[in-house]
Amino acid sequence: MSGTTEREVGRSRPRKEDARLVTGQTNWTDNISVNGLLHLAILRSPMAHARIDRIDVTPAREQPGVVAAFSGSDLAEGLGSLPCAWPVTEDIVHPDHPPIAVDEVRYAGDPVAVVVARDRYAAADALEFIEVDYAPLPPVLDLEAALAEDAPLVHADKGTNRCYDWPLATGEDYASVRERAEVVLRRRYVQQRLIPNAMEPRAVVVTPLAASGEYTVHSSTQIPHILRIMLSVVTGIPEHKLRVIAPDVGGGFGSKLQVYGEEALALAVARRLGRPVKWTESRSEGYLATHHGRGMIQDIEIAATREGRLLGLKVDLLADMGAYLMLVTPGIPILGAFMYPAIYKMDAYDFTCTGVFTTRTPTDAYRGAGRPEATYAIERIMDELAVELDLDPIELRRLNWIGHEEFPYTSVAGLTYDSGNYEAATDKALALFGYDDLRAEQQKRNERGDLVRLGIGVSTYTEMCGLAPSRVLRDLRYSAGGWEAASIRMLPTGKVEVVTGTSPHGQGHVTCWSQIAADVLGVPFEDIEVLHGDTKTTPQGMDTYGSRSLVVGGAAVHHAGQKVVEKARKVAAHLLEANEHDLEFTHGVFSVKGSPEARKTIQEIAFETFSSHDLPDGMEPTINAEHLVDPENFSYPHGTHLCAVEVDTETGRTTIRSYVCVDDVGRVINPMIVEGQVHGGIAQGIAQALYEEAVYDDDGNLVSGTMADYLVPSAADLPEFVTGRTETPATSNPLGSKGVGEAGTIASTPAVVNAIMDALRPLGVTEVAMPCTPQRVWQAIEEASA
């Protein structure tokens, strides 16, 4: 039977995925067990920088349960360098990145040897018997000192710690604009390193199929298709002999957008031994070995008139690459390069990013990937400019943002924003927040000299997401394209299989893709199955990252569905003895205009096609279809986030009193899922503002290497969020949707820090470094009062 008449898109459908997940019927990579499975454990360097003078794995091989042990030199043959897919400049310094160190270690956690045993505990125990002699080398930790002529080098053969310089100058000449400015402010902000904390640790299981020379790789990855290609490049195993499966994946936040050495090592060891091999990281191991996020010094200068009109912006970044370039390490700051001007009009923009090698864990994508850093800098300095000009921060923003009537608008950075209404989102947020009342309360409390100060923070943002189009990515020297694939299979029984190249890890693709397909095909939501994450069953795809899945992958599903309908129309016209143009298609039913009793459901057409007893001449017996989308533009969600904090001046403790956000993500497929994405994103942004930081000592040791030292907030640490939406449909995809997965993280951090600074500014405090811990806040108050 055909579907219901109620549209699925826009409904808050409970997620199809959840019943299986919450009842434990899941298939995490670490759950996978096959006959003869061996377990891999990895010995990691305890030193940030050292030469390996001697390594002996023989004692480990003699331990109970151990099958094999290998040093880096034992595995070097047949293992190439781990890939970097985004060499952002022609002259980028790109050192080799062996999956396991052979001669030198360059960060604490660098792999130096592996043990393979019959169970994971025997493998871990045997690591203690490996003998390694290290000759210490100087660590490289300070980004500015690393660029000095006499600085010790992370990669001595490269002769420099400078990875690249990437400039972007657009609009008028910044220097001339600065000369005519009446106000020029310069600030330095530091984006601390962050460590991803997905619910599921990383894991990989490699199963060799001896008869065919094939390998099945199960990995907790966001990118099964990209991983397959890159593992072929690293190991030399032909791509068609590799099958990569991302089973249930418990979160990623960018940390699983990667090709890791452990995946290559597990594949190499399985090939060497002809046995299946599993590796699963511990939490403390993951803190060392999973790539980190952020890590950047931002020097920001803004030029304006005395009335508050922006004239120009200058941005100079030092970006910490860590010890090696991983999959997209150099490109992460460049993603943000186009977003520093944000929603504002100005005449000149001057940007430079310098990538710097250090002896720390490599950095790479972390939720938002370059764009939270950009939003933080511009929204922080906009608040500083408002103070300098004695303007309300909302008033300053209103003076400078792009008006809704000006879209599409090409920003000074060169991006064309297709749609938006910053006024509507802000007005709605102010009303929900009670902005004027809070300002009045704040003034009274300041006049009384309250010990607990009230602060109000503003963050108005936009972002570029839905990584695309392919030709733009080419111009940015990104190795891959921005396209995405989907196919739809109409089964003879009337059920539907949607095959998507995106690979979910908590986002709700199965539910949303079912809603999209249900509306296009007129088939019940319950009759749709979504297949994903397996390079054998879903052979084409560019995977999931950068808030691209819906606006690119969902669009591909929509287009594939339309192709199915058009194929089915030909069959329906033939069976109903009508002209195709005389057929109406509504809610899954083809009917003849003026004769509604002459009808065929699309599911009936699917069976007729299967039997192929009476098809139009020359037509193949299928109405299945596939579609590849290469989007014409990025997606540009936007919104306004407002935060009120109370800061105890005696203890430095910050409490978020209220948090309101109004986001515009275009047309919403499933409001409940959007709400969840926004809540999760805000939580991560607040975490950067108040709690999280990867801390290294002077020797390059990670001292925040456990959850006891690295503060991940729980629900108890977070306030109730008041959320709202406005809707300006995107014009770059048929759904009218914009990305939402990273929006909350991008917007929330500056809202919180701006609120803290707003509370402390009357006390003479000019800056508090993130995370704004009670100790740092209290110390800033003490220094200001002194």
Side-chain angles (χ1 to χ4, degrees), residues 691-711:
Y691 301 108
E692 296 187 20
E693 182 179 23
V695 179
Y696 286 82
D697 66 17
D698 292 342
D699 294 322
N701 298 306
L702 181 67
V703 296
S704 55
T706 71
M707 283 190 170
D709 309 295
Y710 185 90
L711 302 183

Side-chain angles (χ1 to χ4, degrees), residues 360-379:
R360 287 187 280 223
T361 301
T363 60
D364 210 299
Y366 181 79
R367 195 172 191 170
R371 289 145 302 155
E373 297 94 309
T375 301
Y376 181 86
I378 186 63
E379 289 303 288

Side-chain angles (χ1 to χ4, degrees), residues 28-46:
W28 312 114
T29 301
D30 191 49
N31 294 149
I32 295 167
S33 183
V34 294
N35 289 334
L37 183 66
L38 300 175
H39 294 266
L40 187 72
I42 299 173
L43 182 67
R44 301 184 181 277
S45 169

Side-chain angles (χ1 to χ4, degrees), residues 156-357:
D157 60 319
K158 299 301 180 184
T160 181
N161 291 321
R162 186 184 299 269
C163 178
Y164 65 86
D165 290 305
W166 194 92
L168 176 68
T170 57
E172 297 180 30
D173 176 64
Y174 176 78
S176 63
V177 166
R178 188 185 192 279
E179 283 184 12
R180 72 171 189 263
E182 296 168 301
V183 178
V184 176
L185 290 185
R186 188 171 179 85
R187 295 290 186 270
R188 168 168 284 200
Y189 304 120
V190 176
Q191 295 283 331
Q192 77 270 36
R193 275 178 167 249
L194 302 178
I195 302 176
N197 279 273
M199 186 174 290
E200 179 204 16
R202 289 190 296 119
V204 58
V205 175
V206 179
T207 305
L209 306 172
S212 60
E214 297 177 331
Y215 299 84
T216 298
V217 180
H218 288 82
S219 181
S220 56
T221 182
Q222 297 174 221
I223 52 167
H225 299 91
I226 295 172
L227 180 60
R228 181 192 190 204
I229 295 167
M230 295 305 187
L231 284 179
S232 176
V233 171
V234 173
T235 64
I237 297 171
E239 184 184 349
H240 66 281
K241 295 292 186 180
L242 289 174
R243 177 185 183 184
V244 175
I245 301 172
D248 292 316
V249 178
F253 314 117
S255 69
K256 295 172 183 173
L257 166 56
Q258 194 54 265
V259 177
Y260 282 105
E262 292 87 356
E263 291 161 321
L265 287 173
L267 183 53
V269 170
R271 175 171 59 180
R272 175 79 68 96
L273 301 179
R275 297 271 298 275
V277 170
K278 176 190 286 187
W279 172 81
T280 303
E281 71 179 0
S282 66
R283 282 289 177 188
S284 56
E285 186 179 23
Y287 275 38
L288 287 171
T290 296
H291 74 241
H292 293 178
R294 312 290 192 255
M296 183 187 295
I297 297 173
Q298 302 170 305
D299 287 312
I300 313 296
E301 184 175 280
I302 197 164
T305 66
R306 179 57 60 185
E307 290 74 31
R309 298 286 181 186
L310 298 186
L311 298 176
L313 183 69
K314 182 172 172 54
V315 176
D316 292 299
L317 304 184
L318 290 179
D320 188 351
M321 303 288 98
Y324 297 101
L325 303 183
M326 298 192 77
L327 191 63
V328 290
T329 301
I332 296 304
I334 307 309
L335 271 177
F338 299 94
M339 297 314 301
Y340 282 85
I343 66 173
Y344 305 116
K345 295 180 285 188
M346 60 188 73
D347 300 328
Y349 177 49
D350 191 307
F351 173 93
T352 303
C353 178
T354 298
V356 183
F357 290 111

Side-chain angles (χ1 to χ4, degrees), residues 584-641:
E584 294 177 333
F585 180 69
T586 307
H587 306 306
V589 177
F590 290 98
S591 60
V592 180
K593 294 176 184 177
S595 303
E597 70 283 355
R599 64 200 303 274
K600 287 284 184 181
T601 69
I602 195 168
Q603 290 148 306
E604 290 173 325
I605 299 295
F607 186 83
E608 293 282 357
T609 308
F610 164 72
S611 69
S612 67
H613 291 168
D614 187 14
L615 294 181
D617 291 342
M619 183 172 181
E620 294 179 333
T622 179
I623 57 172
N624 297 343
E626 67 176 9
H627 191 88
L628 276 74
V629 167
D630 197 344
E632 63 188 55
N633 194 2
F634 294 92
S635 162
Y636 298 100
H638 69 83
T640 297
H641 287 224

